[in-house]
């Protein structure tokens, strides 16, 4: 009986020690932080097209165990499933037109988050609305 108690105690201790790293951690915690962002955007607007580049900062804040809010270069919310973030679409409009942006699932590998965005809409030039579309390749590297 004493041997059984000793083995039970050792097994329970092993389980507690091996699981202690994940206690209190949520899926969203892995994504929270400050990211340095580089964007390559392939744009078509009216009869013109081209490639644009941009950079900036993305902040990801935890809302709950599996949801986040993004600020900075991308302002939206999202939900976390494992190593993936599913960002909610963004719609914006003003007197110059409108743009709707959707995102594919983004994967976090190490400190790098890779996001693909697709935008469609209409933007005004000299008083006329022209069709607008773009595909964005977004690479965000966690710096904090």
């Amino acid at each position: 009986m004493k041997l059984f108690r000793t083995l039970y105690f050792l097994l329970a201790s092993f389980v507690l020690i091996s699981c202690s790293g994940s206690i209190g951690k949520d899926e969203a915690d892995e994504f929270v932080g400050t990211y340095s962002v580089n964007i390559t955007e392939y744009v078509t607007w009216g009869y013109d097209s081209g490639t644009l580049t941009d950079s900036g900062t993305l902040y990801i804040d935890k809302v709950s165990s599996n949801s986040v809010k993004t600020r900075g270069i991308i302002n939206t919310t999202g939900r976390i499933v494992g190593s993936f973030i599913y960002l909610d679409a963004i719609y914006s409009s003003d007197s110059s037109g409108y743009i709707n942006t959707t995102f594919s699932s983004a994967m976090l590998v190490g400190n790098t988050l890779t996001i693909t965005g697709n935008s469609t809409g209409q933007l005004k030039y000299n008083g006329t609305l022209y069709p607008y579309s773009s595909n964005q390749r977004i690479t965000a590297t966690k710096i904090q």
Side-chain angles (χ1 to χ4, degrees):
M1 188 68 162
K2 186 175 182 178
L3 178 62
F4 177 74
R5 279 190 228 163
T6 303
L7 288 174
Y8 178 77
F9 175 75
L10 288 173
L11 180 61
S13 298
F14 175 75
V15 168
L16 285 174
I17 290 169
S18 34
C19 293
S20 65
S22 62
I23 293 176
K25 279 272 219 192
D26 295 322
E27 289 181 323
D29 291 330
E30 296 299 317
F31 288 84
V32 171
T34 303
Y35 294 78
S36 175
V37 177
N38 290 304
I39 301 173
T40 302
E41 185 172 9
Y42 307 96
V43 178
T44 302
W45 181 24
Y47 303 105
D48 202 5
S49 64
T51 302
L52 305 173
T53 58
D54 199 4
S55 61
T57 305
L58 175 68
Y59 304 94
I60 299 180
D61 303 311
K62 180 177 172 179
V63 174
S64 71
S65 63
N66 64 349
S67 64
V68 294
K69 178 179 181 181
T70 64
R71 306 178 281 117
I73 206 154
I74 300 172
N75 296 297
T76 191
T77 55
R79 61 189 163 77
I80 309 295
V81 178
S83 295
F84 292 91
I85 186 170
Y86 297 88
L87 296 174
D88 295 327
I90 301 170
Y91 178 80
S92 60
S93 68
D94 61 18
S95 61
S96 296
Y98 69 91
I99 297 176
N100 187 47
T101 302
T102 59
F103 301 95
S104 64
S105 61
M107 185 174 191
L108 181 64
V109 177
N111 286 334
T112 302
L113 183 60
T114 305
I115 306 167
T116 300
N118 292 296
S119 299
T120 57
Q122 291 191 339
L123 296 177
K124 196 178 284 186
Y125 179 73
N126 284 340
T128 303
L129 285 172
Y130 292 95
Y132 171 88
S133 66
S134 75
N135 296 311
Q136 305 99 30
R137 304 291 176 246
I138 305 162
T139 303
T141 304
K142 189 184 273 190
I143 54 177
Q144 290 185 7

